[in-house]
PDB file of all heavy atoms in Angstrom:
ATOM      1  N   GLY A 102      -1.361  -8.080  21.407  1.00 82.00           N
ATOM      2  CA  GLY A 102      -2.390  -8.126  22.333  1.00 82.00           C
ATOM      3  C   GLY A 102      -2.631  -9.597  22.934  1.00 82.00           C
ATOM      4  O   GLY A 102      -3.636 -10.057  23.328  1.00 82.00           O
ATOM      5  N   ILE A 103      -1.194 -10.278  23.081  1.00 81.00           N
ATOM      6  CA  ILE A 103      -1.384 -11.753  23.551  1.00 81.00           C
ATOM      7  C   ILE A 103      -1.666 -11.696  25.084  1.00 81.00           C
ATOM      8  O   ILE A 103      -2.597 -12.477  25.443  1.00 81.00           O
ATOM      9  CB  ILE A 103      -0.021 -12.355  23.264  1.00 81.00           C
ATOM     10  CG1 ILE A 103       0.093 -12.458  21.720  1.00 81.00           C
ATOM     11  CG2 ILE A 103       0.005 -13.815  23.832  1.00 81.00           C
ATOM     12  CD1 ILE A 103       1.469 -12.880  21.340  1.00 81.00           C
ATOM     13  N   GLU A 104      -0.966 -11.052  25.768  1.00 85.00           N
ATOM     14  CA  GLU A 104      -1.173 -11.138  27.266  1.00 85.00           C
ATOM     15  C   GLU A 104      -1.650  -9.793  27.795  1.00 85.00           C
ATOM     16  O   GLU A 104      -1.762  -9.660  29.067  1.00 85.00           O
ATOM     17  CB  GLU A 104       0.126 -11.413  27.939  1.00 85.00           C
ATOM     18  CG  GLU A 104       0.582 -12.800  27.552  1.00 85.00           C
ATOM     19  CD  GLU A 104       1.951 -13.254  28.060  1.00 85.00           C
ATOM     20  OE1 GLU A 104       2.560 -12.358  28.944  1.00 85.00           O
ATOM     21  OE2 GLU A 104       2.440 -14.275  27.707  1.00 85.00           O
ATOM     22  N   THR A 105      -1.933  -8.797  26.981  1.00 87.00           N
ATOM     23  CA  THR A 105      -2.298  -7.552  27.392  1.00 87.00           C
ATOM     24  C   THR A 105      -3.626  -7.074  26.621  1.00 87.00           C
ATOM     25  O   THR A 105      -3.854  -7.573  25.563  1.00 87.00           O
ATOM     26  CB  THR A 105      -1.250  -6.486  27.200  1.00 87.00           C
ATOM     27  OG1 THR A 105      -0.912  -6.385  25.781  1.00 87.00           O
ATOM     28  CG2 THR A 105       0.017  -6.739  27.958  1.00 87.00           C
ATOM     29  N   GLU A 106      -4.317  -6.195  27.204  1.00 90.00           N
ATOM     30  CA  GLU A 106      -5.535  -5.625  26.438  1.00 90.00           C
ATOM     31  C   GLU A 106      -4.980  -4.814  25.399  1.00 90.00           C
ATOM     32  O   GLU A 106      -3.947  -4.087  25.579  1.00 90.00           O
ATOM     33  CB  GLU A 106      -6.331  -4.759  27.556  1.00 90.00           C
ATOM     34  CG  GLU A 106      -7.530  -4.154  26.888  1.00 90.00           C
ATOM     35  CD  GLU A 106      -8.228  -3.230  27.811  1.00 90.00           C
ATOM     36  OE1 GLU A 106      -8.007  -3.240  29.000  1.00 90.00           O
ATOM     37  OE2 GLU A 106      -9.090  -2.362  27.333  1.00 90.00           O
ATOM     38  N   PRO A 107      -5.499  -5.022  24.162  1.00 92.00           N
ATOM     39  CA  PRO A 107      -5.059  -4.065  23.029  1.00 92.00           C
ATOM     40  C   PRO A 107      -5.159  -2.652  23.396  1.00 92.00           C
ATOM     41  O   PRO A 107      -6.120  -2.153  23.887  1.00 92.00           O
ATOM     42  CB  PRO A 107      -5.950  -4.497  21.930  1.00 92.00           C
ATOM     43  CG  PRO A 107      -6.489  -5.768  22.281  1.00 92.00           C
ATOM     44  CD  PRO A 107      -6.599  -5.841  23.753  1.00 92.00           C
ATOM     45  N   GLY A 108      -4.060  -1.908  23.007  1.00 94.00           N
ATOM     46  CA  GLY A 108      -4.157  -0.458  23.356  1.00 94.00           C
ATOM     47  C   GLY A 108      -3.102   0.231  22.323  1.00 94.00           C
ATOM     48  O   GLY A 108      -3.048  -0.255  21.302  1.00 94.00           O
ATOM     49  N   LEU A 109      -2.582   1.263  22.756  1.00 96.00           N
ATOM     50  CA  LEU A 109      -1.584   1.897  22.003  1.00 96.00           C
ATOM     51  C   LEU A 109      -0.136   1.729  22.501  1.00 96.00           C
ATOM     52  O   LEU A 109       0.075   1.895  23.704  1.00 96.00           O
ATOM     53  CB  LEU A 109      -1.896   3.450  21.999  1.00 96.00           C
ATOM     54  CG  LEU A 109      -1.108   4.328  20.889  1.00 96.00           C
ATOM     55  CD1 LEU A 109      -1.835   5.568  20.534  1.00 96.00           C
ATOM     56  CD2 LEU A 109       0.246   4.683  21.408  1.00 96.00           C
ATOM     57  N   VAL A 110       0.768   1.180  21.702  1.00 95.00           N
ATOM     58  CA  VAL A 110       2.083   0.917  22.020  1.00 95.00           C
ATOM     59  C   VAL A 110       3.038   1.976  21.521  1.00 95.00           C
ATOM     60  O   VAL A 110       2.999   2.157  20.276  1.00 95.00           O
ATOM     61  CB  VAL A 110       2.584  -0.512  21.591  1.00 95.00           C
ATOM     62  CG1 VAL A 110       3.982  -0.814  22.017  1.00 95.00           C
ATOM     63  CG2 VAL A 110       1.576  -1.610  22.025  1.00 95.00           C
ATOM     64  N   ALA A 111       3.644   2.711  22.305  1.00 97.00           N
ATOM     65  CA  ALA A 111       4.526   3.648  22.044  1.00 97.00           C
ATOM     66  C   ALA A 111       6.000   3.260  22.464  1.00 97.00           C
ATOM     67  O   ALA A 111       6.271   3.088  23.612  1.00 97.00           O
ATOM     68  CB  ALA A 111       4.328   5.059  22.495  1.00 97.00           C
ATOM     69  N   ILE A 112       6.939   3.132  21.556  1.00 95.00           N
ATOM     70  CA  ILE A 112       8.291   2.603  21.804  1.00 95.00           C
ATOM     71  C   ILE A 112       9.311   3.639  21.424  1.00 95.00           C
ATOM     72  O   ILE A 112       9.548   3.950  20.249  1.00 95.00           O
ATOM     73  CB  ILE A 112       8.600   1.336  21.130  1.00 95.00           C
ATOM     74  CG1 ILE A 112       7.455   0.235  21.530  1.00 95.00           C
ATOM     75  CG2 ILE A 112       9.949   0.726  21.408  1.00 95.00           C
ATOM     76  CD1 ILE A 112       7.577  -1.098  20.659  1.00 95.00           C
ATOM     77  N   GLU A 113      10.015   4.177  22.473  1.00 94.00           N
ATOM     78  CA  GLU A 113      11.078   5.158  22.283  1.00 94.00           C
ATOM     79  C   GLU A 113      12.327   4.231  21.999  1.00 94.00           C
ATOM     80  O   GLU A 113      12.599   3.234  22.466  1.00 94.00           O
ATOM     81  CB  GLU A 113      11.373   5.973  23.586  1.00 94.00           C
ATOM     82  CG  GLU A 113      10.188   6.985  23.830  1.00 94.00           C
ATOM     83  CD  GLU A 113      10.542   7.921  24.839  1.00 94.00           C
ATOM     84  OE1 GLU A 113      11.574   8.419  24.935  1.00 94.00           O
ATOM     85  OE2 GLU A 113       9.663   8.211  25.768  1.00 94.00           O
ATOM     86  N   TRP A 114      13.179   4.794  21.134  1.00 92.00           N
ATOM     87  CA  TRP A 114      14.478   4.274  20.703  1.00 92.00           C
ATOM     88  C   TRP A 114      14.070   2.918  19.875  1.00 92.00           C
ATOM     89  O   TRP A 114      14.851   1.932  19.984  1.00 92.00           O
ATOM     90  CB  TRP A 114      15.489   3.970  21.805  1.00 92.00           C
ATOM     91  CG  TRP A 114      15.861   5.295  22.460  1.00 92.00           C
ATOM     92  CD1 TRP A 114      15.134   5.934  23.633  1.00 92.00           C
ATOM     93  CD2 TRP A 114      16.830   6.341  21.936  1.00 92.00           C
ATOM     94  NE1 TRP A 114      15.791   7.135  23.884  1.00 92.00           N
ATOM     95  CE2 TRP A 114      16.722   7.372  22.869  1.00 92.00           C
ATOM     96  CE3 TRP A 114      17.734   6.263  21.095  1.00 92.00           C
ATOM     97  CZ2 TRP A 114      17.769   8.432  22.633  1.00 92.00           C
ATOM     98  CZ3 TRP A 114      18.483   7.325  20.802  1.00 92.00           C
ATOM     99  CH2 TRP A 114      18.463   8.401  21.681  1.00 92.00           C
ATOM    100  N   ALA A 115      13.268   2.920  19.151  1.00 92.00           N
ATOM    101  CA  ALA A 115      12.685   1.823  18.367  1.00 92.00           C
ATOM    102  C   ALA A 115      13.688   1.291  17.316  1.00 92.00           C
ATOM    103  O   ALA A 115      13.689   0.141  16.978  1.00 92.00           O
ATOM    104  CB  ALA A 115      11.361   2.122  17.696  1.00 92.00           C
ATOM    105  N   GLU A 116      14.690   1.992  17.037  1.00 91.00           N
ATOM    106  CA  GLU A 116      15.672   1.498  16.164  1.00 91.00           C
ATOM    107  C   GLU A 116      16.487   0.323  16.713  1.00 91.00           C
ATOM    108  O   GLU A 116      17.237  -0.388  16.074  1.00 91.00           O
ATOM    109  CB  GLU A 116      16.585   2.573  15.626  1.00 91.00           C
ATOM    110  CG  GLU A 116      17.297   3.284  16.800  1.00 91.00           C
ATOM    111  CD  GLU A 116      16.548   4.551  17.301  1.00 91.00           C
ATOM    112  OE1 GLU A 116      15.356   4.708  17.240  1.00 91.00           O
ATOM    113  OE2 GLU A 116      17.267   5.440  17.840  1.00 91.00           O
ATOM    114  N   ARG A 117      16.332   0.126  18.096  1.00 87.00           N
ATOM    115  CA  ARG A 117      17.009  -0.955  18.818  1.00 87.00           C
ATOM    116  C   ARG A 117      16.173  -2.175  18.766  1.00 87.00           C
ATOM    117  O   ARG A 117      16.533  -3.288  19.284  1.00 87.00           O
ATOM    118  CB  ARG A 117      17.281  -0.534  20.238  1.00 87.00           C
ATOM    119  CG  ARG A 117      18.227   0.714  20.177  1.00 87.00           C
ATOM    120  CD  ARG A 117      18.743   0.956  21.573  1.00 87.00           C
ATOM    121  NE  ARG A 117      20.002   1.866  21.402  1.00 87.00           N
ATOM    122  CZ  ARG A 117      20.159   2.934  22.041  1.00 87.00           C
ATOM    123  NH1 ARG A 117      19.358   3.232  22.940  1.00 87.00           N
ATOM    124  NH2 ARG A 117      21.186   3.632  21.774  1.00 87.00           N
ATOM    125  N   LEU A 118      15.035  -2.143  18.159  1.00 90.00           N
ATOM    126  CA  LEU A 118      14.245  -3.374  18.066  1.00 90.00           C
ATOM    127  C   LEU A 118      14.777  -4.297  16.985  1.00 90.00           C
ATOM    128  O   LEU A 118      14.836  -3.853  15.815  1.00 90.00           O
ATOM    129  CB  LEU A 118      12.829  -3.012  17.625  1.00 90.00           C
ATOM    130  CG  LEU A 118      11.780  -2.633  18.730  1.00 90.00           C
ATOM    131  CD1 LEU A 118      10.471  -2.117  17.948  1.00 90.00           C
ATOM    132  CD2 LEU A 118      11.386  -3.804  19.679  1.00 90.00           C
ATOM    133  N   PRO A 119      14.995  -5.509  17.349  1.00 87.00           N
ATOM    134  CA  PRO A 119      15.505  -6.388  16.298  1.00 87.00           C
ATOM    135  C   PRO A 119      14.379  -7.008  15.328  1.00 87.00           C
ATOM    136  O   PRO A 119      14.647  -7.641  14.380  1.00 87.00           O
ATOM    137  CB  PRO A 119      16.166  -7.625  16.987  1.00 87.00           C
ATOM    138  CG  PRO A 119      15.544  -7.501  18.376  1.00 87.00           C
ATOM    139  CD  PRO A 119      15.169  -6.121  18.567  1.00 87.00           C
ATOM    140  N   TYR A 120      13.162  -6.818  15.815  1.00 87.00           N
ATOM    141  CA  TYR A 120      11.970  -7.230  15.212  1.00 87.00           C
ATOM    142  C   TYR A 120      10.888  -6.240  15.353  1.00 87.00           C
ATOM    143  O   TYR A 120      10.896  -5.419  16.242  1.00 87.00           O
ATOM    144  CB  TYR A 120      11.504  -8.619  15.584  1.00 87.00           C
ATOM    145  CG  TYR A 120      11.414  -8.526  17.232  1.00 87.00           C
ATOM    146  CD1 TYR A 120      10.145  -8.225  17.746  1.00 87.00           C
ATOM    147  CD2 TYR A 120      12.415  -8.970  18.066  1.00 87.00           C
ATOM    148  CE1 TYR A 120       9.995  -8.090  19.153  1.00 87.00           C
ATOM    149  CE2 TYR A 120      12.245  -8.910  19.394  1.00 87.00           C
ATOM    150  CZ  TYR A 120      11.037  -8.496  20.034  1.00 87.00           C
ATOM    151  OH  TYR A 120      10.901  -8.518  21.419  1.00 87.00           O
ATOM    152  N   LYS A 121      10.026  -6.102  14.423  1.00 92.00           N
ATOM    153  CA  LYS A 121       8.956  -5.138  14.465  1.00 92.00           C
ATOM    154  C   LYS A 121       7.612  -5.695  14.093  1.00 92.00           C
ATOM    155  O   LYS A 121       7.556  -6.695  13.467  1.00 92.00           O
ATOM    156  CB  LYS A 121       9.316  -3.951  13.498  1.00 92.00           C
ATOM    157  CG  LYS A 121      10.559  -3.147  13.866  1.00 92.00           C
ATOM    158  CD  LYS A 121      10.927  -2.115  12.781  1.00 92.00           C
ATOM    159  CE  LYS A 121      12.185  -1.231  13.336  1.00 92.00           C
ATOM    160  NZ  LYS A 121      13.270  -1.963  13.487  1.00 92.00           N
ATOM    161  N   PRO A 122       6.573  -5.023  14.412  1.00 93.00           N
ATOM    162  CA  PRO A 122       5.263  -5.481  13.974  1.00 93.00           C
ATOM    163  C   PRO A 122       5.092  -5.379  12.534  1.00 93.00           C
ATOM    164  O   PRO A 122       5.863  -4.591  11.772  1.00 93.00           O
ATOM    165  CB  PRO A 122       4.257  -4.466  14.699  1.00 93.00           C
ATOM    166  CG  PRO A 122       5.014  -3.340  15.178  1.00 93.00           C
ATOM    167  CD  PRO A 122       6.483  -3.880  15.232  1.00 93.00           C
TER     168      PRO A 122
END
Side-chain angles (χ1 to χ4, degrees):
I103 294 171
E104 298 173 4
T105 59
E106 180 183 344
L109 191 153
V110 180
I112 304 176
E113 295 188 39
W114 299 95
E116 58 272 24
R117 296 190 169 135
L118 274 174
Y120 52 88
K121 294 178 174 59

